[in-house]
Amino acid sequence: MTQDVIPLTMPKFGLAMTEGKLASWTVQAGQSVKQGDELADIETSKITSGYESPAAGTLRKQVAQAGETLGVGALIGVLADASVSDADIDAFIAKFQSEQTTDETEDTASTRNTEPHQVDAGEYSLNVREVGDGEGTPLLLIHGFGGDISNWMLTQEALASGRRVIAFDLPGHGASSKTVKDGSLAGLASAVNALLDALSISKAHVMGHSLGGGVAVTLLKNHADKVASLSLLAPAGFEKAVNMEFITGFTEADRNRAMQQELEKLVHDKGLIGRKMVDSVMRARRLDGARDALRTIAAACFPNGEQGDDLRPVLEAASIPVQLFWGEADEVLPVAGADNVPDSVEKHLFPGVGHLPQMEKASEVNKTTEAFLQKHA
């Protein structure tokens, strides 16, 4: 029975997420679906995201109702083949829910070790969060300008099967040291190299977004022995143009409305930017030294309103596997940069997607990256 019944549970989108709201069902009970079809919309304090079907089958029962808030891992529905009897479905639900308390206790114990913590890396103290284990080559995630580890809320756990996945706040960001001594890509890559040493990681797959993509490629340039592969999302360093109105506006915004206008430039679907996300970014910006750190990095990386680094020669000379993701509706770094990477790079361009493909196309990015990492393990 159980092998034919698939539980649909409240996903964990972010490191701080303990519960989510089932905003709405997009599929009705009794309706057949294919793997990847959107079943429901889930709301958290930071983002609204579609819940995609893990397999083909029939949505046999909606256990949770629209508007209901449930803890991570709680049963929200059941997917099964039409041949499975209603009695078997009910028995599966009863058994699953009876074991829920035990599952939640085990989950709490396992997540204690994934709380962010400080790591001394060279001249910086960096805020680090690690999930997963296993013998696979670790994966390091490098966020973009003004971001933090929460930018990987839909990525980190999804790629943590059989490997460590490490997210961290760059110098000047999040809960890391706010005084940035060298805000250039090379300076930031040096901090990343020091972090890998501090974590006793001799080689890692590296995924970088935007500014973090430029840092990742610069890490390959300066510390090639540390990089097993590159996964780049809308990376800096492949086109002169940059939306400096966004860089400046995002750095200097001192009111929520102004910040929301800037954050909306990050995504094609402007509805993804909610009030709580704006509040969170504004709180981070008010920390002592936060604005000065971003100004230092912007001045070093975007002199005269242009991207200061040309990283095309690095990828042209690279002997490691590289993949690229870019939203065609990117309003921060133009997708034209994708034309400037070598043909050897696996390119994935998304129409109707902005500067955050890891959020707007999370499922596709994660599935493609998992296959990429398995292929190049």
Side-chain angles (χ1 to χ4, degrees):
M1 173 194 67
T2 55
Q3 65 181 2
D4 299 318
V5 182
I6 299 172
L8 306 174
T9 60
M10 180 62 67
K12 185 176 178 64
F13 288 151
L15 62 94
M17 179 179 171
T18 58
E19 62 181 19
K21 178 182 178 181
L22 177 63
S24 64
W25 284 100
T26 52
V27 173
Q28 299 304 310
Q31 186 172 338
S32 296
V33 297
K34 301 186 298 296
Q35 183 177 358
D37 283 353
E38 187 170 303
L39 302 179
D41 285 324
I42 305 294
E43 289 183 1
T44 74
S45 61
K46 292 187 178 289
I47 196 170
T48 298
S49 185
Y51 185 109
E52 297 182 352
S53 181
T58 301
L59 180 62
R60 295 295 301 273
K61 194 161 187 176
Q62 298 173 344
V63 178
Q65 302 304 309
E68 196 170 348
T69 297
L70 299 164
V72 168
L75 191 67
I76 63 173
V78 173
L79 191 72
D81 188 80
S83 62
V84 179
S85 70
D86 289 342
D88 282 347
I89 294 293
D90 290 340
F92 178 89
I93 293 172
K95 183 175 186 293
F96 187 99
Q97 292 181 329
S98 71
E99 296 173 347
Q100 189 70 29
T101 301
T102 301
D103 291 343
E104 288 176 352
T105 300
E106 292 175 352
D107 184 65
T108 298
S110 66
T111 57
R112 286 195 193 103
N113 296 326
T114 68
E115 289 301 309
H117 57 282
Q118 295 294 311
V119 174
D120 290 332
E123 55 192 353
Y124 297 109
S125 176
L126 301 181
N127 186 48
V128 177
R129 180 183 184 245
E130 299 186 57
V131 302
D133 54 30
E135 297 182 358
T137 301
L139 171 64
L140 182 72
L141 308 174
I142 311 177
H143 66 74
F145 182 83
D148 59 28
I149 54 179
S150 70
N151 291 166
W152 303 111
M153 67 172 72
L154 306 182
T155 309
Q156 190 172 14
E157 270 108 353
L159 297 177
S161 177
R163 69 179 67 89
R164 294 165 68 189
V165 181
I166 301 102
F168 70 101
D169 295 334
L170 283 166
H173 294 72
S176 290
S177 300
K178 291 297 182 291
T179 301
V180 177
K181 299 179 180 179
D182 182 354
S184 68
L185 293 183
L188 297 173
S190 179
V192 174
N193 181 59
L195 175 62
L196 289 173
D197 286 343
L199 296 175
S200 298
I201 296 175
S202 60
K203 187 182 287 285
H205 297 292
V206 182
M207 173 177 272
H209 170 244
S210 192
L211 177 78
V215 173
V217 179
T218 305
L219 181 70
L220 173 64
K221 176 184 177 182
N222 296 337
H223 306 279
D225 58 313
K226 296 289 184 67
V227 183
S229 74
L230 286 176
S231 297
L232 306 174
L233 301 103
F238 295 92
E239 175 75 20
K240 278 287 187 184
V242 57
N243 186 343
M244 282 306 294
E245 289 186 1
F246 165 78
I247 298 296
T248 302
F250 179 78
T251 300
E252 304 299 337
D254 58 1
R255 294 183 181 275
N256 282 31
R257 179 175 296 181
M259 180 59 78
Q260 177 148 356
Q261 290 174 346
E262 299 305 326
L263 290 175
E264 287 179 353
K265 295 174 184 176
L266 292 171
V267 291
H268 181 64
D269 180 2
K270 310 305 182 186
L272 292 174
I273 308 301
R275 179 180 57 81
K276 291 184 178 180
M277 179 183 289
V278 175
D279 290 342
S280 176
V281 174
M282 286 302 296
R283 284 194 300 272
R285 195 66 75 255
R286 294 188 181 105
L287 295 174
D288 288 344
R291 289 187 199 276
D292 286 341
L294 293 184
R295 291 168 185 150
T296 297
I297 293 171
C301 294
F302 310 120
N304 304 313
E306 295 182 329
Q307 296 191 56
D309 294 83
D310 182 359
L311 298 176
R312 289 176 291 180
V314 182
L315 288 194
E316 289 168 358
S319 59
I320 62 167
V322 182
Q323 63 171 350
L324 175 78
F325 302 93
W326 217 312
E328 294 181 355
D330 196 322
E331 298 177 47
V332 179
L333 297 178
V335 69
D339 296 331
N340 297 326
V341 302
D343 292 338
S344 58
V345 173
E346 299 178 22
K347 299 181 186 180
H348 308 276
L349 306 184
F350 299 119
V353 171
H355 190 57
L356 296 171
Q358 72 268 39
M359 290 191 175
E360 290 193 89
K361 284 293 181 180
S363 179
E364 290 89 335
V365 169
N366 292 339
K367 290 176 184 176
T368 301
T369 299
E370 181 60 39
F372 176 82
L373 297 178
Q374 291 285 352
K375 179 179 178 182
H376 302 293

